[in-house]
Amino acid sequence: MDGTVGFFDGHNDALLRLALYARRDPERSFLEGRPDGHIDLPRARRGGMLGGLFALYAPSATGLRFDQFRGTSYDCPLPPEVPLADAQQIILKQTSILTRIVAASEGQVVLCRSVGEIRSAIAADRFAIVLHLEGAEAIDADLHALDVLHAAGLRSLGPVWSRTNIFGHGVPMRFPSSPDTGPGLTAAGAGLVRACNRLRILVDLSHITEQGFWDVARLSDAPLVATHSNVHALCPSSRNLTERQLDAIRDSDGLVGLNLATCFLRPDGQMRADTDLDIVVRHVAQLIEHLGETRVGLGSDFDGAVVPNSVGSVAGAQAIFRALAAGGFGSDLLQKFAIGNWMRVLALTIG
Protein backbone atom coordinates (compact mmCIF):
# COMPACT_ATOMS: atom_id res chain seq x y z
CA MET A 1 0.00 0.00 0.00
CA ASP A 2 1.43 3.35 -1.04
CA GLY A 3 0.53 6.66 0.59
CA THR A 4 -1.68 7.60 3.50
CA VAL A 5 -5.32 6.50 3.61
CA GLY A 6 -7.46 9.39 4.83
CA PHE A 7 -10.21 8.15 7.12
CA PHE A 8 -13.32 9.23 9.01
CA ASP A 9 -13.74 7.73 12.49
CA GLY A 10 -17.10 6.74 13.95
CA HIS A 11 -16.31 7.12 17.65
CA ASN A 12 -13.86 8.61 20.15
CA ASP A 13 -13.97 10.02 23.69
CA ALA A 14 -11.53 12.90 23.27
CA LEU A 15 -13.93 15.57 24.60
CA LEU A 16 -14.43 13.71 27.89
CA ARG A 17 -10.66 13.27 28.32
CA LEU A 18 -10.11 16.97 27.63
CA ALA A 19 -12.84 17.91 30.11
CA LEU A 20 -11.47 15.71 32.90
CA TYR A 21 -7.70 15.65 32.44
CA ALA A 22 -6.39 18.56 30.35
CA ARG A 23 -3.77 20.34 32.51
CA ARG A 24 -4.05 23.59 30.58
CA ASP A 25 -6.65 25.08 28.26
CA PRO A 26 -8.45 22.04 26.81
CA GLU A 27 -8.78 23.66 23.40
CA ARG A 28 -5.03 24.33 23.21
CA SER A 29 -4.35 20.78 24.37
CA PHE A 30 -6.32 19.49 21.41
CA LEU A 31 -5.05 21.95 18.82
CA GLU A 32 -1.37 21.93 19.81
CA GLY A 33 -0.99 18.38 21.15
CA ARG A 34 -1.03 16.72 24.54
CA PRO A 35 1.24 14.11 26.10
CA ASP A 36 -1.53 11.69 27.07
CA GLY A 37 -4.52 10.03 25.50
CA HIS A 38 -5.08 8.98 21.92
CA ILE A 39 -6.32 12.01 19.96
CA ASP A 40 -5.28 15.59 19.35
CA LEU A 41 -5.17 17.51 16.09
CA PRO A 42 -1.43 17.10 15.34
CA ARG A 43 -1.60 13.32 15.87
CA ALA A 44 -4.84 13.09 13.89
CA ARG A 45 -3.11 14.80 10.97
CA ARG A 46 -0.13 12.45 11.20
CA GLY A 47 -2.39 9.41 11.30
CA GLY A 48 -4.52 10.41 8.32
CA MET A 49 -7.71 11.16 10.26
CA LEU A 50 -9.90 13.60 8.33
CA GLY A 51 -12.66 13.88 10.92
CA GLY A 52 -15.12 11.84 12.92
CA LEU A 53 -17.95 11.55 15.38
CA PHE A 54 -16.80 13.06 18.69
CA ALA A 55 -18.71 11.80 21.70
CA LEU A 56 -20.17 13.71 24.61
CA TYR A 57 -20.36 11.44 27.64
CA ALA A 58 -21.42 11.81 31.29
CA PRO A 59 -19.40 9.44 33.53
CA SER A 60 -20.95 7.72 36.54
CA ALA A 61 -19.69 8.54 40.01
CA THR A 62 -18.13 5.07 40.07
CA GLY A 63 -17.23 3.77 36.65
CA LEU A 64 -15.49 0.89 34.94
CA ARG A 65 -11.78 0.19 35.36
CA PHE A 66 -9.78 -1.56 32.70
CA ASP A 67 -8.52 -4.07 35.29
CA GLN A 68 -12.09 -5.39 35.52
CA PHE A 69 -11.64 -6.90 32.03
CA ARG A 70 -9.45 -9.75 33.26
CA GLY A 71 -9.77 -13.50 33.66
CA THR A 72 -11.38 -16.17 31.56
CA SER A 73 -14.75 -14.58 32.32
CA TYR A 74 -15.98 -11.36 33.90
CA ASP A 75 -19.22 -9.57 34.65
CA CYS A 76 -18.69 -5.90 35.46
CA PRO A 77 -21.61 -4.40 37.41
CA LEU A 78 -23.59 -1.74 35.59
CA PRO A 79 -22.39 1.69 36.75
CA PRO A 80 -24.97 3.77 38.63
CA GLU A 81 -27.33 6.11 36.81
CA VAL A 82 -26.24 9.73 36.39
CA PRO A 83 -28.69 12.39 37.63
CA LEU A 84 -29.99 14.75 34.96
CA ALA A 85 -28.40 17.87 36.47
CA ASP A 86 -24.99 16.21 36.80
CA ALA A 87 -25.14 14.86 33.26
CA GLN A 88 -26.15 18.22 31.82
CA GLN A 89 -23.29 19.97 33.61
CA ILE A 90 -20.53 17.74 32.15
CA ILE A 91 -22.18 17.56 28.71
CA LEU A 92 -22.41 21.36 28.62
CA LYS A 93 -18.73 21.57 29.54
CA GLN A 94 -17.70 19.20 26.75
CA THR A 95 -19.88 21.02 24.21
CA SER A 96 -18.25 24.29 25.28
CA ILE A 97 -14.79 22.78 24.85
CA LEU A 98 -15.63 21.76 21.31
CA THR A 99 -17.08 25.20 20.55
CA ARG A 100 -13.86 26.80 21.83
CA ILE A 101 -11.71 24.38 19.82
CA VAL A 102 -13.52 25.40 16.65
CA ALA A 103 -13.25 29.11 17.49
CA ALA A 104 -9.55 28.92 18.40
CA SER A 105 -8.59 26.76 15.43
CA GLU A 106 -8.67 29.63 12.92
CA GLY A 107 -10.54 27.47 10.44
CA GLN A 108 -8.57 24.27 10.98
CA VAL A 109 -11.50 22.52 12.72
CA VAL A 110 -15.14 22.64 11.60
CA LEU A 111 -18.27 21.45 13.41
CA CYS A 112 -20.35 19.80 10.69
CA ARG A 113 -24.12 19.30 10.60
CA SER A 114 -24.45 17.49 7.26
CA VAL A 115 -22.49 15.31 4.87
CA GLY A 116 -22.17 18.29 2.54
CA GLU A 117 -20.42 20.22 5.30
CA ILE A 118 -18.15 17.25 6.05
CA ARG A 119 -17.15 16.94 2.40
CA SER A 120 -16.56 20.69 2.08
CA ALA A 121 -14.40 20.72 5.20
CA ILE A 122 -12.29 17.79 4.04
CA ALA A 123 -11.89 19.32 0.56
CA ALA A 124 -10.57 22.48 2.22
CA ASP A 125 -8.14 20.45 4.40
CA ARG A 126 -10.14 21.23 7.53
CA PHE A 127 -10.78 18.70 10.28
CA ALA A 128 -14.47 17.70 10.25
CA ILE A 129 -16.21 16.99 13.57
CA VAL A 130 -19.74 15.63 13.97
CA LEU A 131 -21.17 15.85 17.49
CA HIS A 132 -22.39 12.61 19.10
CA LEU A 133 -24.02 11.93 22.48
CA GLU A 134 -23.08 8.60 24.07
CA GLY A 135 -25.92 7.86 26.47
CA ALA A 136 -28.84 10.29 26.76
CA GLU A 137 -28.64 11.01 30.50
CA ALA A 138 -28.40 14.76 29.80
CA ILE A 139 -31.76 14.75 27.98
CA ASP A 140 -34.96 15.26 29.96
CA ALA A 141 -38.12 13.22 29.46
CA ASP A 142 -39.77 16.12 27.62
CA LEU A 143 -36.80 16.25 25.18
CA HIS A 144 -36.21 19.97 25.65
CA ALA A 145 -32.45 19.35 25.95
CA LEU A 146 -32.55 17.34 22.72
CA ASP A 147 -33.78 20.41 20.84
CA VAL A 148 -31.03 22.55 22.41
CA LEU A 149 -28.28 20.03 21.65
CA HIS A 150 -29.55 19.59 18.10
CA ALA A 151 -29.38 23.35 17.60
CA ALA A 152 -25.80 23.22 18.96
CA GLY A 153 -24.87 20.66 16.30
CA LEU A 154 -25.77 17.23 17.70
CA ARG A 155 -26.31 14.79 14.84
CA SER A 156 -25.73 11.36 16.43
CA LEU A 157 -27.01 9.85 19.67
CA GLY A 158 -26.86 6.57 21.56
CA PRO A 159 -29.98 6.33 23.78
CA VAL A 160 -27.97 4.45 26.40
CA TRP A 161 -24.42 3.74 27.40
CA SER A 162 -23.78 0.50 29.33
CA ARG A 163 -26.09 1.41 32.20
CA THR A 164 -29.78 2.20 32.76
CA ASN A 165 -31.43 5.56 32.16
CA ILE A 166 -34.97 6.82 31.60
CA PHE A 167 -34.79 5.85 27.91
CA GLY A 168 -33.67 2.25 28.21
CA HIS A 169 -31.16 -0.34 29.30
CA GLY A 170 -27.53 -0.81 28.29
CA VAL A 171 -25.55 -4.02 28.06
CA PRO A 172 -23.13 -4.76 30.91
CA MET A 173 -19.46 -5.38 30.14
CA ARG A 174 -19.76 -9.15 30.38
CA PHE A 175 -17.70 -11.97 28.87
CA PRO A 176 -18.66 -14.44 27.61
CA SER A 177 -22.20 -13.24 27.14
CA SER A 178 -24.98 -12.73 24.67
CA PRO A 179 -26.10 -9.10 24.19
CA ASP A 180 -29.54 -10.31 25.29
CA THR A 181 -29.05 -9.16 28.89
CA GLY A 182 -32.32 -7.48 29.84
CA PRO A 183 -35.08 -5.08 28.82
CA GLY A 184 -34.80 -2.62 25.93
CA LEU A 185 -36.31 0.80 25.38
CA THR A 186 -38.79 2.41 27.73
CA ALA A 187 -41.79 4.40 26.46
CA ALA A 188 -39.63 7.51 26.80
CA GLY A 189 -36.94 5.78 24.75
CA ALA A 190 -39.41 5.07 21.97
CA GLY A 191 -40.27 8.75 21.93
CA LEU A 192 -36.59 9.65 21.78
CA VAL A 193 -36.02 7.41 18.76
CA ARG A 194 -38.99 8.97 16.94
CA ALA A 195 -37.68 12.46 17.75
CA CYS A 196 -34.23 11.55 16.44
CA ASN A 197 -35.78 10.35 13.19
CA ARG A 198 -37.69 13.62 12.89
CA LEU A 199 -34.60 15.74 13.58
CA ARG A 200 -32.35 13.54 11.43
CA ILE A 201 -30.14 12.48 14.33
CA LEU A 202 -28.42 9.11 13.83
CA VAL A 203 -29.43 6.54 16.49
CA ASP A 204 -26.38 4.57 17.65
CA LEU A 205 -26.97 0.96 18.79
CA SER A 206 -23.53 0.20 20.18
CA HIS A 207 -24.30 -0.01 23.92
CA ILE A 208 -27.94 -1.08 23.94
CA THR A 209 -29.28 -4.50 24.90
CA GLU A 210 -30.34 -6.88 22.16
CA GLN A 211 -33.98 -6.24 23.10
CA GLY A 212 -33.32 -2.52 22.78
CA PHE A 213 -31.71 -3.13 19.39
CA TRP A 214 -34.89 -4.81 18.15
CA ASP A 215 -37.02 -2.06 19.68
CA VAL A 216 -35.10 0.54 17.67
CA ALA A 217 -35.26 -1.63 14.54
CA ARG A 218 -39.03 -1.79 14.89
CA LEU A 219 -39.49 1.94 15.52
CA SER A 220 -36.88 3.65 13.39
CA ASP A 221 -37.27 4.59 9.75
CA ALA A 222 -33.50 5.19 9.37
CA PRO A 223 -30.65 2.75 8.66
CA LEU A 224 -29.45 0.84 11.73
CA VAL A 225 -25.96 1.91 12.83
CA ALA A 226 -23.61 0.63 15.53
CA THR A 227 -20.81 3.17 15.56
CA HIS A 228 -18.28 1.10 17.54
CA SER A 229 -19.06 -2.61 17.85
CA ASN A 230 -17.60 -5.90 16.61
CA VAL A 231 -18.51 -9.47 15.69
CA HIS A 232 -19.93 -11.61 18.49
CA ALA A 233 -18.98 -14.85 16.71
CA LEU A 234 -15.30 -13.84 16.94
CA CYS A 235 -15.42 -12.29 20.42
CA PRO A 236 -18.44 -13.35 22.51
CA SER A 237 -18.74 -10.11 24.48
CA SER A 238 -22.15 -8.69 25.38
CA ARG A 239 -21.07 -5.53 23.52
CA ASN A 240 -20.72 -7.27 20.18
CA LEU A 241 -23.27 -8.00 17.47
CA THR A 242 -24.84 -11.38 16.71
CA GLU A 243 -25.35 -12.69 13.18
CA ARG A 244 -29.04 -11.87 13.39
CA GLN A 245 -28.28 -8.28 14.39
CA LEU A 246 -25.75 -7.98 11.56
CA ASP A 247 -28.38 -9.25 9.13
CA ALA A 248 -30.80 -6.56 10.32
CA ILE A 249 -28.17 -3.85 9.87
CA ARG A 250 -27.50 -5.14 6.35
CA ASP A 251 -31.19 -5.23 5.48
CA SER A 252 -31.65 -1.62 6.68
CA ASP A 253 -28.62 -0.48 4.60
CA GLY A 254 -26.88 0.58 7.82
CA LEU A 255 -23.27 0.35 9.04
CA VAL A 256 -21.02 -1.06 11.75
CA GLY A 257 -17.92 0.83 12.89
CA LEU A 258 -15.07 -1.52 13.85
CA ASN A 259 -14.05 -0.95 17.48
CA LEU A 260 -10.32 -1.13 18.33
CA ALA A 261 -10.94 -1.89 22.02
CA THR A 262 -9.05 -5.15 22.44
CA CYS A 263 -11.68 -6.65 24.78
CA PHE A 264 -14.17 -6.50 21.90
CA LEU A 265 -11.65 -7.92 19.41
CA ARG A 266 -9.91 -10.80 21.15
CA PRO A 267 -11.49 -14.28 21.34
CA ASP A 268 -10.57 -14.30 25.05
CA GLY A 269 -12.20 -10.92 25.73
CA GLN A 270 -9.08 -9.45 27.35
CA MET A 271 -8.25 -5.74 27.57
CA ARG A 272 -4.61 -6.21 26.52
CA ALA A 273 -2.52 -3.91 24.34
CA ASP A 274 -0.34 -6.77 23.10
CA THR A 275 -3.01 -7.71 20.59
CA ASP A 276 -2.07 -8.50 17.00
CA LEU A 277 -3.81 -6.66 14.17
CA ASP A 278 -4.61 -9.98 12.50
CA ILE A 279 -7.72 -10.08 14.69
CA VAL A 280 -8.76 -6.66 13.35
CA VAL A 281 -8.48 -8.04 9.82
CA ARG A 282 -10.62 -11.05 10.78
CA HIS A 283 -13.37 -8.84 12.25
CA VAL A 284 -13.42 -6.57 9.21
CA ALA A 285 -13.54 -9.55 6.87
CA GLN A 286 -16.40 -11.10 8.84
CA LEU A 287 -18.31 -7.82 8.92
CA ILE A 288 -17.93 -7.46 5.15
CA GLU A 289 -19.06 -11.06 4.67
CA HIS A 290 -22.29 -10.33 6.57
CA LEU A 291 -22.90 -6.70 5.64
CA GLY A 292 -21.30 -6.22 2.24
CA GLU A 293 -18.50 -3.88 1.23
CA THR A 294 -20.54 -0.68 1.66
CA ARG A 295 -21.62 -1.13 5.29
CA VAL A 296 -18.39 -1.34 7.32
CA GLY A 297 -16.27 1.52 8.66
CA LEU A 298 -13.98 2.39 11.55
CA GLY A 299 -15.26 3.33 15.02
CA SER A 300 -11.98 3.34 16.91
CA ASP A 301 -13.02 4.13 20.52
CA PHE A 302 -9.80 6.18 20.84
CA ASP A 303 -9.51 7.81 24.28
CA GLY A 304 -12.05 5.32 25.62
CA ALA A 305 -10.29 1.95 25.56
CA VAL A 306 -7.06 -0.01 25.40
CA VAL A 307 -6.14 -0.35 21.71
CA PRO A 308 -3.42 -2.54 20.14
CA ASN A 309 0.15 -1.36 20.72
CA SER A 310 0.82 -1.48 16.99
CA VAL A 311 -1.68 1.37 16.62
CA GLY A 312 -1.07 3.11 19.95
CA SER A 313 -2.96 6.30 19.14
CA VAL A 314 -4.54 8.01 16.18
CA ALA A 315 -1.02 8.83 14.98
CA GLY A 316 -0.53 5.11 14.33
CA ALA A 317 -3.83 4.51 12.57
CA GLN A 318 -2.20 3.77 9.22
CA ALA A 319 -1.10 0.44 10.72
CA ILE A 320 -4.74 -0.65 10.44
CA PHE A 321 -4.83 0.03 6.72
CA ARG A 322 -1.45 -1.62 6.16
CA ALA A 323 -2.73 -4.73 7.94
CA LEU A 324 -5.90 -4.75 5.85
CA ALA A 325 -3.89 -4.30 2.64
CA ALA A 326 -1.60 -7.16 3.66
CA GLY A 327 -4.74 -9.22 4.28
CA GLY A 328 -5.83 -8.78 0.67
CA PHE A 329 -8.04 -5.71 0.84
CA GLY A 330 -7.69 -3.68 -2.36
CA SER A 331 -7.48 0.10 -2.59
CA ASP A 332 -11.15 0.53 -3.56
CA LEU A 333 -12.32 -1.48 -0.55
CA LEU A 334 -9.93 0.37 1.76
CA GLN A 335 -11.38 3.69 0.59
CA LYS A 336 -14.91 2.47 1.30
CA PHE A 337 -13.91 1.28 4.75
CA ALA A 338 -11.89 4.43 5.48
CA ILE A 339 -14.44 7.07 4.53
CA GLY A 340 -16.83 6.23 1.71
CA ASN A 341 -19.15 4.02 3.74
CA TRP A 342 -19.45 6.58 6.54
CA MET A 343 -20.36 9.30 4.05
CA ARG A 344 -22.97 7.03 2.51
CA VAL A 345 -24.74 6.15 5.75
CA LEU A 346 -24.49 9.67 7.18
CA ALA A 347 -26.12 11.01 4.02
CA LEU A 348 -29.02 8.61 4.69
CA THR A 349 -29.30 9.56 8.39
CA ILE A 350 -28.22 13.15 9.09
CA GLY A 351 -28.52 14.39 5.51
Side-chain angles (χ1 to χ4, degrees):
M1 182 184 72
D2 296 325
T4 297
V5 178
F7 70 94
F8 186 91
D9 184 32
H11 186 84
N12 71 73
D13 291 292
L15 295 174
L16 174 68
R17 296 294 176 181
L18 290 168
L20 295 182
Y21 305 124
R23 296 175 183 171
R24 53 194 176 103
D25 293 344
E27 58 268 25
R28 289 296 166 195
S29 294
F30 181 79
L31 292 171
E32 297 173 4
R34 56 191 175 117
D36 58 344
H38 291 148
I39 288 190
D40 51 46
L41 187 59
R43 283 184 288 176
R45 294 293 200 191
R46 291 200 302 274
M49 184 177 177
L50 304 173
L53 273 66
F54 276 58
L56 306 169
Y57 170 73
S60 295
T62 57
L64 295 170
R65 305 183 314 273
F66 290 154
D67 62 4
Q68 292 177 286
F69 298 83
R70 292 286 186 266
T72 56
S73 65
Y74 49 80
D75 186 356
C76 307
L78 286 175
E81 296 183 46
V82 181
L84 176 65
D86 293 348
Q88 289 183 340
Q89 183 178 23
I90 188 65
I91 294 303
L92 181 62
K93 180 177 181 179
Q94 291 169 57
T95 306
S96 173
I97 288 171
L98 177 56
T99 301
R100 294 179 183 187
I101 286 171
V102 171
S105 74
E106 298 180 343
Q108 294 182 76
V109 179
V110 180
L111 176 59
C112 298
R113 293 168 167 81
S114 68
V115 169
E117 291 183 5
I118 298 170
R119 292 188 186 279
S120 294
I122 291 172
D125 196 30
R126 296 173 175 172
F127 192 73
I129 290 180
V130 176
L131 195 57
H132 169 78
L133 181 64
E134 186 175 29
E137 285 81 3
I139 296 175
D140 55 290
D142 293 322
L143 307 184
H144 297 144
L146 180 67
D147 293 333
V148 173
L149 287 169
H150 179 261
L154 184 74
R155 292 297 183 271
S156 177
L157 176 153
V160 295
W161 184 70
S162 287
R163 63 189 170 209
T164 300
N165 64 28
I166 63 170
F167 301 109
H169 301 263
V171 291
M173 303 296 181
R174 182 181 294 169
F175 181 92
S177 173
S178 160
D180 186 14
T181 60
L185 293 177
T186 63
L192 177 63
V193 170
R194 294 188 186 99
C196 286
N197 284 174
R198 173 175 54 82
L199 293 169
R200 301 210 70 175
I201 296 173
L202 182 153
V203 177
D204 178 23
L205 299 167
S206 290
H207 280 272
I208 203 163
T209 62
E210 184 173 4
Q211 181 57 57
F213 178 101
W214 297 117
D215 290 341
V216 174
R218 173 176 52 84
L219 289 165
S220 181
D221 59 14
L224 301 176
V225 177
T227 64
H228 57 302
S229 294
N230 294 339
V231 180
H232 191 270
L234 294 178
C235 172
S237 166
S238 57
R239 271 279 282 108
N240 285 339
L241 298 162
T242 66
E243 291 188 9
R244 185 167 169 246
Q245 288 174 303
L246 293 173
D247 289 344
I249 291 170
R250 177 201 62 211
D251 293 345
S252 75
D253 205 13
L255 183 139
V256 174
L258 188 281
N259 193 328
L260 294 179
T262 63
C263 61
F264 307 138
L265 288 169
R266 296 171 60 100
D268 62 4
Q270 295 290 293
M271 188 74 88
R272 291 178 51 174
D274 59 339
T275 296
D276 195 273
L277 289 184
D278 285 351
I279 189 60
V280 170
V281 177
R282 290 200 290 276
H283 275 270
V284 175
Q286 190 103 339
L287 286 170
I288 290 173
E289 180 179 340
H290 277 278
L291 302 174
E293 293 185 359
T294 62
R295 302 184 187 96
V296 185
L298 181 65
S300 70
D301 216 351
F302 283 137
D303 272 333
V306 172
V307 304
N309 279 331
S310 51
V311 176
S313 76
V314 67
Q318 291 303 303
I320 302 164
F321 300 101
R322 290 193 294 271
L324 291 171
F329 291 74
S331 59
D332 287 348
L333 184 51
L334 286 179
Q335 286 297 322
K336 290 176 184 177
F337 173 77
I339 188 168
N341 293 345
W342 270 117
M343 296 304 100
R344 182 195 64 78
V345 82
L346 288 173
L348 294 173
T349 51
I350 72 172

